[in-house]
Amino acid sequence: MDMENRKEQIIERALVHIKKRGYLSFSYDHLSKELGLTKASIHYHFEKKESLGLAVCDRLETGLDQMILAINGMHIDPKEKPMEFFRMRISHIDVDEICPISAFQADFPYLPEILKQSVQDVTKKELGCVAELLQDVYKNKNKNEAKAILLLSAMKGALQYRRAVGGEIMETISYQLEEILQ
């Protein structure tokens, strides 16, 4: 396997760990055992764990950009676009996982400063994406930012509940969010 694919493999596996247990609760030892690599091989690509965390945040930002492009390219009613964003985001999160941005946020007080900045950037990007989709429907920018915070908070809270009590809660919250957006 070439070096770039190996690096992508490490980022992807780290992302799974972050969604399942948080940034602080996994180690290079976990990754090396799962990927069949030495810890030295992981350190070759990411000298420090914070470098890997930064790469994961970059991956998340790129994914948000790609998602917005895809949604804006869809021929759907603008009122449907925010819910499509949530459906797409949730499709990447298994029942026993939470949003990776939320996982970073939960660990925020304990993150290295450079990683804190990256987490803030990806958080702002996510809020901006939802606010942008709302802008197509509602013209009041200030209210759109507040609605984006409300909608994201509800969806991320539902992911936490889903992990603890099961999947039906996602259907309930999705229905309620659709009602709010009408």
Side-chain angles (χ1 to χ4, degrees):
M1 176 170 291
D2 67 37
M3 295 295 227
E4 198 55 39
N5 283 340
R6 176 79 65 213
K7 190 173 184 176
E8 291 301 311
Q9 237 186 351
I10 294 167
I11 292 169
E12 282 300 314
R13 198 70 213 146
L15 183 57
V16 168
H17 276 283
I18 290 166
K19 291 188 293 185
K20 286 187 183 288
R21 60 175 70 187
Y23 172 78
L24 297 176
S25 297
F26 81 91
S27 67
Y28 278 16
D29 189 51
H30 291 112
L31 297 175
S32 69
K33 287 177 181 172
E34 290 173 16
L35 295 171
L37 303 172
T38 64
K39 285 190 272 185
S41 177
I42 296 170
H43 280 283
Y44 173 81
H45 294 287
F46 302 100
E47 187 177 342
K48 297 179 181 178
K49 188 177 175 185
E50 70 186 44
S51 301
L52 178 54
L54 292 170
V56 170
C57 284
D58 286 344
R59 167 70 53 82
L60 293 170
E61 282 201 51
T62 299
L64 289 168
D65 288 336
Q66 291 170 344
M67 199 173 297
I68 287 297
L69 284 173
I71 291 169
N72 283 331
M74 293 178 178
H75 299 290
I76 59 176
D77 184 328
K79 286 184 176 182
E80 290 293 317
K81 289 182 178 185
M83 285 309 296
E84 184 59 29
F85 177 86
F86 292 124
R87 281 189 284 274
M88 289 174 81
R89 291 284 287 142
I90 291 167
S91 73
H92 298 283
I93 301 171
D94 289 338
V95 174
D96 63 338
E97 298 175 339
I98 64 169
C99 168
I101 298 171
S102 296
F104 273 119
Q105 291 164 339
D107 292 338
F108 191 81
Y110 312 104
L111 299 176
E113 287 304 316
I114 191 165
L115 189 51
K116 282 182 178 181
Q117 184 60 54
S118 191
V119 169
Q120 287 174 332
D121 291 344
V122 74
T123 298
K124 290 174 186 173
K125 166 77 82 175
E126 184 179 44
L127 284 168
C129 288
V130 176
E132 175 187 325
L133 294 172
L134 292 170
Q135 187 67 30
D136 291 341
V137 180
Y138 311 101
K139 301 305 177 200
N140 186 327
K141 185 176 192 263
N142 292 332
K143 286 188 178 180
N144 288 339
E145 290 174 3
K147 276 185 185 168
I149 292 167
L150 173 69
L151 295 170
L152 281 166
S153 297
M155 189 58 68
K156 289 167 182 262
L159 287 168
Q160 292 274 14
Y161 274 91
R162 178 180 78 172
R163 183 158 71 167
V165 297
E168 300 80 31
I169 198 160
M170 293 310 297
E171 292 173 24
T172 302
I173 196 71
S174 292
Y175 176 77
Q176 292 301 314
L177 292 178
E178 287 175 12
E179 289 288 313
I180 289 170
L181 290 169
Q182 294 307 315

